[in-house]
Amino acid sequence: MTALSRRLVLGGAAAAAAIGGLPLAGGTAQAGPRALRDGLDYAVRKLRAVAPGISRFPEETKFEKWIYTDSGGWVGGFWPGLLWLAHLESKDPLFRRLAEESARRLAPRRTDLGTHDLGFLFYPSWVTAYRLTGEREWRDGAIQASDSLIRRYNTKGRFIRAWGHINDPGNAGRVIIDTMMNLDLLFFASKETGDAKYSAIAVEHARTTAKHFLRPDGSTPHVYDFDPATGAPIGPNTVQGYSPTSCWSRGQAWGMYGFTTVYRRTGQREFLDVATKLADHVLPYLRTDPVPIWDYRSPYSPHDIRDSSAGAITACALLDLAKITGNNRYRDTAVSVLNAITDTCLTTKSTRAEAIVARGTRHRGAEGGIEVSLPYGDYYYVEALLRLFRPTELAAAIGL
């Protein structure tokens, strides 16, 4: 079990109070469609003002200013991806130019054998670039990244290992829920090349994740460990969550989004069933607190830190599920979450802020990135709004 400091516990209570105890219960945020439209407009204005001065990859904020990673870390795809979304909304050629310049800086990562996050890196950036421009350099680079990703596949356990270089025995049997978001890069590669090897690995990894991560109540752990030599399951664990038996809200969102995507690519009902179980588990929490707490089972709930990025990802997943299933509960909850983020988390009242969405949490347990802005929080907030306001164009851009 993770021990959290007194400072963070008290800070979490203060943050919850700052969000107003969330007078948003039952999905009754007072934002509405006009406010969401204004939120999207604000995002584009903010990017138009800030993006020309950024030549590296935003990682998180410190005192409301972006701090950067030169290599892109695991988040590098979200900045060019966000610029592509701004271009989609505004048709401003400035955003296309900046998106292309940023995406090209990821080129050395195509052959990176030290990370499973090649989907995060290359799907929002290079795959979207290919869909919007038709230029084959983006397609070919994304396929090259897929070739690197499938080298992480463990044939005995039928999973893609999460962390560490493929030749490093440390973490060789570690699987995390986040990897569900990296699978769509493999489906893209199979579709473009006609080679089923990529999608076959994606499907097997998804089945392994469904079998071992999904609990009877629809919650998930962050980590599941396997014996890398035999593939035998060892058991659940966590790094980002409160404990191996808790439910880290951003991880739950990755799972919802990822399994919905795997269903879309395969048409296999087993994956939709998992996605809906994950979604149904979080709906009661979101009715009370539309901006999710960082871990749904934090013992300090409801007076703990929120994670607006988890909310934005969850909103995308719920809107996707609503589109597929016709279940209006998912859409209504997604809109409630977006209303709450728009009403309580945007940086509209700050003259310093360089990001769009505040009140994100990167790693609560390690006391890292608390009450900050995160590039994926901004990215998925804008993606969710475009699902509402430009559904056809967004579908073409990101493959919905």
Side-chain angles (χ1 to χ4, degrees):
M1 181 173 291
T2 303
L4 300 180
S5 72
R6 175 179 171 80
R7 177 175 66 82
L8 276 182
V9 172
L10 295 176
I19 298 177
L22 291 176
L24 306 164
T28 58
Q30 299 301 309
R34 181 65 258 174
L36 295 183
R37 177 69 255 181
D38 289 346
L40 182 56
D41 292 343
Y42 172 70
V44 173
R45 289 198 308 274
K46 176 63 72 175
L47 288 168
R48 189 174 282 119
V50 172
I54 292 178
S55 60
R56 292 180 289 167
F57 299 104
E59 190 169 31
E60 64 180 79
T61 56
K62 183 176 183 178
F63 304 123
E64 300 185 283
K65 301 295 185 181
W66 285 120
I67 57 177
Y68 302 96
T69 169
D70 290 328
S71 71
W74 75 269
V75 300
F78 294 116
W79 183 249
L82 182 59
L83 295 172
W84 282 121
L85 296 185
H87 174 66
L88 187 69
E89 165 61 18
S90 68
K91 307 301 187 290
D92 187 338
L94 168 70
F95 290 127
R96 172 172 175 165
R97 176 175 65 81
L98 294 175
E100 290 178 331
E101 290 174 359
S102 180
R104 287 194 175 97
R105 285 193 285 272
L106 287 172
R109 303 294 301 279
R110 291 172 294 178
T111 56
D112 189 343
L113 300 180
T115 180
H116 71 122
D117 284 318
L118 292 166
F120 279 131
L121 290 172
F122 287 94
Y123 201 92
S125 55
W126 288 50
V127 173
T128 298
Y130 173 61
R131 289 194 172 115
L132 290 178
T133 70
E135 295 173 2
R136 287 183 66 87
E137 68 169 303
W138 305 116
R139 168 195 177 274
D140 295 345
I143 293 169
Q144 190 175 7
S146 298
D147 286 326
S148 299
L149 180 56
I150 62 173
R151 293 185 63 181
R152 306 182 69 81
Y153 184 63
N154 183 307
T155 57
K156 297 287 183 63
R158 298 184 179 182
F159 60 79
I160 296 170
R161 66 172 288 180
W163 295 316
H165 193 279
I166 60 170
N167 296 324
D168 183 353
N171 289 315
R174 181 148 281 198
V175 178
I176 63 175
I177 192 69
D178 317 40
T179 306
M180 288 301 305
M181 293 294 289
N182 291 304
L183 301 183
D184 208 18
L185 182 68
L186 302 182
F187 287 110
F188 172 80
S190 277
K191 182 178 179 181
E192 289 297 318
T193 64
D195 190 336
K197 68 181 180 183
Y198 306 99
S199 59
I201 287 173
V203 167
E204 288 305 312
H205 178 90
R207 286 198 173 116
T208 299
T209 305
K211 179 178 179 180
H212 294 287
F213 280 73
L214 181 65
R215 301 179 182 130
D217 66 357
S219 66
T220 57
H222 176 213
V223 174
Y224 203 97
D225 289 320
F226 297 83
D227 182 323
T230 67
I234 295 174
N237 211 321
T238 196
V239 173
Q240 290 275 32
Y242 178 78
S243 77
T245 59
S246 70
C247 185
W248 176 48
S249 60
R250 191 161 72 242
Q252 188 82 356
W254 293 141
M256 291 163 54
Y257 194 130
F259 277 107
T260 304
T261 300
V262 175
Y263 169 72
R264 178 184 295 105
R265 302 305 178 214
T266 65
Q268 296 178 26
R269 179 70 191 220
E270 62 186 292
F271 300 120
L272 181 60
D273 289 344
V274 175
T276 56
K277 287 176 182 176
L278 298 180
D280 291 343
H281 180 75
V282 304
L283 292 187
Y285 294 100
L286 298 174
R287 280 195 291 270
T288 302
D289 294 316
V291 180
I293 201 166
W294 73 281
D295 191 303
Y296 289 116
R297 292 180 179 168
S298 165
Y300 307 109
S301 177
H303 304 299
D304 206 347
I305 296 291
R306 310 279 158 177
D307 182 8
S308 57
S309 74
I313 300 158
T314 296
C316 289
L318 290 174
L319 288 171
D320 216 1
L321 278 173
K323 179 181 177 182
I324 289 171
T325 66
N327 188 332
N328 286 331
R329 288 188 308 144
Y330 297 144
R331 182 180 177 86
D332 292 346
T333 303
V335 171
S336 176
V337 170
L338 291 172
N339 282 341
I341 293 173
T342 301
D343 199 37
T344 67
C345 301
L346 295 194
T347 61
T348 50
K349 295 182 180 179
S350 172
T351 58
R352 286 181 48 84
E354 293 183 335
I356 299 160
V357 181
R359 295 190 170 124
T361 297
R362 177 174 56 80
H363 195 338
R364 171 77 157 102
E367 303 190 14
I370 307 297
E371 286 286 308
V372 297
S373 296
L374 299 161
Y376 38 95
D378 282 7
Y379 175 86
Y380 288 107
Y381 175 70
V382 174
E383 180 188 305
L385 293 178
L386 290 176
R387 287 174 182 266
L388 294 174
F389 294 111
R390 293 189 181 272
T392 302
E393 291 169 86
L394 183 73
I398 67 173
L400 297 177

